[in-house]
Amino acid sequence: MRSPRKLEQLAPVETKSLKDLVNSVNEKRNVVADEQVQKGKWSSATPVLQQTEDANCGAAAVAMLTKAKGGKEAVSDEQLMGELGSRFATKEGTTPKQLANMLANEGIAVKKGATSLDKDALDGALQNGGKAVAMVDSKKIATRGEAQETGKAHWVVIDGMDDKGRYMVKDPGTASSYFVKPEELTKAIDSGRNQHQSGGMLIVENTETPAPAPVLAQEAEKNAEALGNTPGGGSNWRRFGRESS
């Protein structure tokens, strides 16, 4: 019989294996997966990465999209997050403007910014190969709006939808994917904006032959301006799904 200490050491490994299985199942439920590849020209499905610090969810979200684009393959996930964070963000997290510059640096265009859920724009983007990055309330998004208390400003990737019209969220705080209803995403965005005076979503596109980074950055910053100046950091959910303080 395994000792409690051995079980404690195995728990993170078993938890990761379970998350990987759930993430794989969810990927198969994405009804716009083909459009993402064919129209969006992404080289693969967006991987679900775990943020490596308590406040680097922005760098993790951009790293996910970079890997989906097929970029920086020789660079480890942790190294890529570290490079993006040290160059563009601060220890408090990543503001919308800083995230816009991260995306531009990786050849990803920010086509639209919105302070709340723009369902028509998001649905259209996902069906035509686009994706989105959203600044939300970390507790509201993770609990589908059920948490009574508010969380931190937090970046997540919106990567597809299922046949019920729910959006696939890829969350670097938990290294997990899950589906949320439009009204649940709305609640998470609005709660974060009310609490932290920043929030919203950025619709992004892969660019096969990207414009120079300064040109992409100029458009990206303009579209991100409405989202505010609060840094999104979220939290690093270390063990058993518990949020770190």
Side-chain angles (χ1 to χ4, degrees), residues 23-185:
N23 292 341
S24 177
V25 171
N26 284 343
E27 204 66 59
K28 295 176 182 178
R29 297 167 65 191
N30 181 8
V31 298
V32 294
D34 290 343
E35 285 82 352
Q36 294 284 302
V37 175
Q38 295 170 10
K39 296 180 180 180
K41 307 301 180 183
W42 302 91
S43 67
S44 67
T46 306
V48 189
L49 304 183
Q50 171 75 63
Q51 63 186 86
T52 54
E53 301 174 6
D54 282 349
N56 74 338
C57 59
V62 175
M64 290 186 204
L65 295 174
T66 299
K67 295 289 185 173
K69 184 180 169 70
K72 308 290 178 67
E73 292 180 345
V75 179
S76 71
D77 299 339
E78 184 173 358
Q79 183 180 352
L80 178 55
M81 286 182 236
E83 290 175 355
L84 290 168
S86 63
R87 181 173 178 183
F88 295 102
T90 68
K91 63 181 181 181
E92 285 77 28
T94 309
T95 67
K97 180 179 178 180
Q98 289 167 338
L99 191 89
N101 279 286
M102 278 189 195
L103 292 163
N105 184 72
E106 299 303 302
I108 299 169
V110 178
K111 306 305 292 184
K112 180 181 176 65
T115 58
S116 60
L117 173 61
D118 185 332
K119 189 176 185 304
D120 290 340
L122 180 55
D123 290 359
L126 293 172
Q127 292 162 2
N128 286 282
K131 301 180 188 290
V133 188
M135 180 185 275
V136 298
D137 180 301
S138 63
K139 289 189 181 295
K140 298 292 185 184
I141 193 69
T143 62
R144 320 307 196 267
E146 293 180 3
Q148 296 301 308
E149 69 274 23
T150 55
K152 301 176 182 178
H154 182 51
W155 290 107
V156 298
V157 174
I158 310 296
D159 194 45
M161 61 176 68
D162 67 5
D163 58 5
K164 297 178 181 178
R166 300 180 301 174
Y167 299 115
M168 178 187 283
V169 174
K170 293 188 173 175
D171 189 336
T174 57
S176 61
S177 65
Y178 46 86
F179 290 94
V180 298
K181 298 175 182 177
E183 57 267 30
E184 293 168 343
L185 179 57

